[in-house]
Amino acid sequence: MFSHIFFYQLKNISRKFWIIGWNLLFPLVLATAFHFGFGSMIKDDPNTFHIVPAGYVTLGDYETEGMQEDGTLIHTDPYGEMLESISGGDEEKKQIILLTRYASEKEANQAILDQEIKGYYLNDGGEISLKVLSTGTDSTILSQIMKQYKTSRSMLERIAKDHPDKLSEAISALSDQNEYLEQHTFGNGVSQYLQYFFALLAMSSLFGSWISTEMMYPMCANISDCGKRFESAPGNRIVAVLAGTLAGTLLQGISNIIVVLYIQYVLQISFGAALVDICLIMFLGSALGIGFGVFFGSVFKKENARVMMPLAFSMVCSFMSGLMVGFMKQVVEDHVPILNRINPASVFTDSLYVISNYGKTDRFYTDVMIMLLMIALTLGVSACILRRRNYASI
């Protein structure tokens, strides 16, 4: 009986072309619209760290004298050497800037105007200054490099004056740091605009509720003639509903995976996580949408309600998860955080966000457990309603 109903529902649902249109084609069209709407911002997140092109100018022949171990005098430019070290000279070090030396301040100024560099350092007799054309992230990075150098140099000068015997230890401690600044990437560098695609997949998954409400149509005696025959049969209703639920989850899961593959390989937008993990979440989200659809199909008797409730539910939940307004989910989190815990679309998008940025953390498993609990709850309540349903005459 289980396998018979399972394959029957597969054929029945796959022949509903309007379901194919809304659950598969519409997400593909919307994903394409997002891609062209956001443009390069999706792949080139403005918050992503970029190497900063910078210049360096020394006025005169400024050099600092030092002494080698054999007593030979050498001439060094410590600030220039530090800039070279963070400009990618050492493979073991992170490249922070792309350094270009200029013979004069005039050349450096022209390079800024031509947008070849974001700013340049001026070494005037040992006094370091920074010249930039405008403020922003790049100028802040260049400024922090200079500030940290000046702080370290000032500290060494004080130690040399007050505790000369500790000078070598202090120099050694600073040398062990290897870098003045270090690039740090939070998560996997996933663009903030990817959350729109997460919300799109959540909407597509909740559209699966249409599949299950359509599936419930021939199973309820108060809705269709087929339902009268079905409920008059000696078969187990719960087994039939479970078989139909798995069939709907399979079709919706395949539909979601096609959308994922389209986004990742056609639109060339990476999810930042293993494709297998993303596909598993897609099937879980599909089961979530199917579960709510079974619940709506068992509760609402009128045809209009069975059509409108899944649509309204899907769109409201998707809106709250950030499909239309990207920061809406954060607004809800700030004012009514409990809604993000019970909104299936928000939980679904949060699981994708966490695994894409941080991997399988405790928060990810919490989201998965909440979705599983929602699926069990909707199917459990629906089973109770269907088992207790009686008719005076069918």
Side-chain angles (χ1 to χ4, degrees), residues 250-286:
L250 177 62
L251 287 178
Q252 184 60 49
I254 293 174
S255 175
N256 282 350
I257 290 176
I258 291 174
V259 178
V260 168
L261 294 176
Y262 176 77
I263 294 173
Q264 181 144 337
Y265 294 106
V266 178
L267 300 182
Q268 296 294 310
I269 300 173
S270 174
F271 283 93
L275 186 59
V276 174
D277 294 332
I278 297 295
C279 291
L280 291 176
I281 298 176
M282 290 302 103
F283 274 104
L284 186 60
S286 301

Side-chain angles (χ1 to χ4, degrees), residues 311-387:
L311 176 61
F313 174 76
S314 301
M315 299 312 298
V316 170
C317 290
S318 300
F319 172 77
M320 301 297 285
S321 68
L323 179 64
M324 295 78 167
V325 182
F327 57 83
M328 182 55 64
K329 185 178 176 182
Q330 186 58 47
V331 172
V332 175
E333 185 68 26
D334 293 338
H335 294 87
V336 195
I338 187 61
L339 288 181
N340 281 341
R341 309 297 179 269
I342 61 176
N343 179 3
S346 294
V347 178
F348 177 83
T349 56
D350 190 67
S351 66
L352 288 174
Y353 174 81
V354 172
I355 197 173
S356 297
N357 285 274
Y358 308 107
K360 297 179 181 179
T361 62
D362 292 341
R363 180 176 164 184
F364 168 76
Y365 288 112
T366 299
D367 291 334
V368 170
M369 291 302 298
I370 292 176
M371 286 190 285
L372 290 174
L373 182 61
M374 288 181 178
I375 295 170
L377 186 62
T378 53
L379 292 180
V381 172
S382 301
C384 292
I385 294 175
L386 292 175
R387 287 191 64 184

Side-chain angles (χ1 to χ4, degrees), residues 51-56 97-102 106-120 133 138 142:
I51 297 172
V52 183
Y56 182 53
I97 64 174
L98 180 61
L99 186 66
T100 303
R101 291 180 179 266
Y102 295 96
K106 181 179 180 180
E107 292 183 9
N109 283 324
Q110 188 60 44
I112 289 182
L113 295 176
D114 294 339
Q115 298 184 351
E116 296 176 1
I117 57 176
K118 298 297 182 180
Y120 68 90
L133 190 62
D138 294 333
L142 297 178

